[in-house]
Amino acid sequence: SSEVRWLVLPERPAGTEHLTEEELVPLVSRDSMVGVAKVEAS
């Protein structure tokens, strides 16, 4: 609604601690941003 805003941050996939922000971006999908799927490391 116009009164409530939600911010969904996908959980960092295990084993990606060494990746930079630029390397993580391609892993994020539409589904992970709306909270219906987990981000999978490739």
Side-chain angles (χ1 to χ4, degrees):
S1 73
S2 63
E3 296 184 25
V4 178
R5 305 278 180 197
W6 297 96
L7 175 63
V8 177
L9 298 177
E11 183 178 2
R12 179 186 282 266
T16 62
E17 295 78 18
H18 65 283
L19 297 179
T20 65
E21 182 178 346
E22 291 79 21
E23 293 170 316
L24 287 169
V25 168
L27 301 179
V28 178
S29 68
R30 176 194 174 280
D31 287 347
S32 67
M33 289 303 294
V34 296
V36 297
K38 287 195 169 209
V39 175
E40 298 293 329
S42 47

